[in-house]
Amino acid sequence: MELLDLATRIESRNIVPDMRGKLAALLFFEPSTRTHFSFDTAVKRLGGNSLTMTGTGNTSAQKGETLSDTLKTISQYADLIVMRHVVEGAARFASEILDIPVVNAGDGTNQHPSQAMLDLYSIQKTQGKLENLTVGMVGDLRLGRTVHSLAQALSDFNPKFYFASPGHLQMPRYIKDELRQKGIIFEEIQDIKPVMPELDIMYVTRIQKERFAVLEDYLKLKDSYIITKKFLKNVKSNFKMMHPLPRVNEITKEVDDTPYAYYFQQAKNGVFMRQAIITKLLKLNW
Ligand code: CP
C-alpha cells in the first residue's frame, strides 16, 4: 500500500524523489522490453544513473565467471540491482549474497513481483479500489510468472478468480493452495466467454513458447485463447483488459481501440511504480 501511495504521488508530481549520485545496475540475463526500459526510465526520471547488461555475451561470464562472482563485482559499483534471470530463485540468491537491495525483475517461471505491483496500481487506477473484484486470468497460468505474483498480491483484497488455461498450463498447485488457505474463491474453467459479464478485470497472458521443451506441444496450445471484439459485447462498464505484454496473438489488434483495452497504459504505469520501488529501497529524499 505504501508503494501504491508513493506511485500515485510520483505520477501526480506531488513528490519528486531525488536519485542523483546513485546508480542502479539493470541485469537482464533474459530478454525484456517493458521491465528493462521502464526501470531505466524510472532511474533517469529520478535523476539517477544506470548500468545495463543484456545477456552475458559481452561479459566475463563467457570466460567462466560464476553468477555469484559477477553479482558480487557489480554490487561494488551500484547502489541497487534489478535482475531478470531464467533460473527460479536467482534474484533471491542474489539478495542473500549481496549487501545492496535486489529487485526480482522476473525469475524463470516463478515470480515477477514488480509487475504485480504495477498491476495492482493499474487495477486501483481503473477500478478505484482493490477489494472485492472479480478477475479472470486467461492463458498460460503455469509458466507465465506474472499471474503467480498478481494472484498472490490480489489475495489480500478478497477477489473472486476465474482461471482459464489450456492443457497442462493451469495455475500452479502452490498458488491454489495458498488461495484456499486464505478462503479465496476461484474456479478453473475452460471457456472464459460465459463469465465475461461478471468480470471487472480480465488479465490475459501469452503461451510462454520459450519455456516449452518440445515445440509441437507449444504449437498445439498456442491458439487456445484469442480474445476478439466479440468477447466484449456484454462486459461491465468498468471492465478492463490487462496484459503484461508482450502479446503474440491472444488479443486481436481491433481490441486495442476499445475503451476496455488497458495494456499500454498498464505498461506506462510501470514507470511510476518502479520509481516508487526505487524510492523506497534507496530511501530517497523528496
Ligand atoms: N511485462 C514484462 O515483463 O515485459 P518484458 O518481458 O518486455 O519486460
Side-chain angles (χ1 to χ4, degrees), residues 31-36 84 112 115 244-246:
S32 167
T33 298
R34 276 142 294 272
T35 313
H36 181 184
R84 171 170 291 187
H112 196 346
Q115 176 76 42
L245 304 176

Side-chain angles (χ1 to χ4, degrees), residues 18-24 40 42-50:
D18 183 2
M19 195 185 165
R20 279 176 300 173
K22 296 202 183 289
L23 204 146
D40 209 5
V43 167
K44 284 165 181 152
R45 285 202 186 154
L46 291 168
N49 273 307
S50 60

Side-chain angles (χ1 to χ4, degrees), residues 161-188:
F161 286 125
Y162 288 105
F163 296 144
S165 53
H168 63 294
L169 300 180
Q170 291 93 355
M171 188 64 86
R173 185 178 294 275
Y174 80 94
I175 302 276
K176 291 188 284 190
D177 286 346
E178 277 184 35
L179 297 178
R180 282 191 197 95
Q181 277 163 21
K182 290 177 111 171
I184 303 300
I185 296 172
F186 67 88
E187 205 176 314
E188 294 188 283

Side-chain angles (χ1 to χ4, degrees), residues 9-284:
R9 294 172 72 189
I10 289 167
E11 181 173 5
S12 66
R13 299 194 65 78
N14 174 264
I15 58 170
V16 183
D18 183 2
M19 195 185 165
R20 279 176 300 173
K22 296 202 183 289
L23 204 146
L26 311 178
L27 309 183
F28 283 79
F29 294 84
E30 262 196 344
S32 167
T33 298
R34 276 142 294 272
T35 313
H36 181 184
F37 288 122
S38 64
F39 264 114
D40 209 5
T41 305
V43 167
K44 284 165 181 152
R45 285 202 186 154
L46 291 168
N49 273 307
S50 60
L51 296 171
T52 277
M53 188 185 99
T54 51
T56 56
N58 291 320
T59 75
S60 286
Q62 295 301 317
K63 304 174 200 163
E65 187 169 50
T66 62
L67 178 63
S68 169
D69 283 0
T70 300
L71 292 170
K72 280 182 182 163
T73 303
I74 292 169
S75 76
Q76 308 305 313
Y77 313 138
D79 300 285
L80 167 79
I81 283 182
V82 175
M83 175 172 161
R84 171 170 291 187
H85 201 279
V86 69
V87 175
E88 288 83 7
R92 178 178 293 278
F93 167 73
S95 75
E96 286 168 356
I97 62 165
L98 302 180
D99 296 327
I100 61 172
V102 176
V103 178
N104 181 2
D107 61 327
T109 62
N110 186 30
Q111 293 281 339
H112 196 346
S114 70
Q115 176 76 42
M117 288 310 305
L118 80 87
D119 291 341
L120 285 190
Y121 186 54
S122 300
I123 292 169
Q124 190 179 54
K125 278 175 75 171
T126 60
Q127 307 297 315
K129 63 175 188 175
L130 293 173
E131 296 80 10
N132 306 320
L133 297 171
T134 302
V135 178
M137 294 187 172
V138 181
D140 188 345
L141 306 186
R142 184 166 81 95
L143 304 172
R145 56 199 169 201
T146 61
V147 287
H148 307 161
S149 299
L150 182 58
Q152 286 179 306
L154 274 173
S155 72
D156 282 339
F157 302 97
N158 192 40
K160 176 179 179 185
F161 286 125
Y162 288 105
F163 296 144
S165 53
H168 63 294
L169 300 180
Q170 291 93 355
M171 188 64 86
R173 185 178 294 275
Y174 80 94
I175 302 276
K176 291 188 284 190
D177 286 346
E178 277 184 35
L179 297 178
R180 282 191 197 95
Q181 277 163 21
K182 290 177 111 171
I184 303 300
I185 296 172
F186 67 88
E187 205 176 314
E188 294 188 283
I189 56 177
Q190 287 299 312
D191 189 2
I192 192 73
K193 218 172 189 173
V195 304
M196 293 291 292
E198 274 187 62
L199 300 181
D200 299 300
I201 296 286
M202 178 156 74
Y203 195 97
V204 184
T205 64
R206 81 190 157 90
I207 309 294
Q208 307 277 302
K209 180 181 181 184
E210 69 277 23
R211 310 218 188 270
F212 279 74
V214 180
L215 181 64
E216 282 71 30
D217 292 344
Y218 165 75
L219 294 175
K220 273 184 225 155
L221 298 176
K222 75 180 179 67
D223 295 329
S224 302
Y225 293 98
I226 298 177
I227 310 299
T228 65
K229 246 180 164 171
K230 284 186 192 150
F231 281 67
L232 304 174
K233 280 200 177 121
N234 296 312
V235 293
K236 290 160 76 169
S237 57
N238 61 310
F239 173 80
K240 290 291 178 213
M241 275 185 67
M242 295 174 60
H243 192 309
L245 304 176
R247 110 180 111 176
V248 182
N249 64 346
E250 56 280 357
I251 301 175
T252 58
K253 273 183 68 65
E254 57 175 6
V255 175
D256 298 0
D257 299 326
T258 71
Y260 307 112
Y262 194 73
Y263 22 93
F264 291 111
Q265 294 99 316
Q266 182 186 349
K268 181 175 180 176
N269 290 336
V271 175
F272 306 121
M273 178 47 72
R274 285 163 174 145
Q275 282 178 275
I277 290 169
I278 294 166
T279 297
K280 182 166 168 57
L281 289 178
L282 294 182
K283 299 182 175 67
L284 300 182

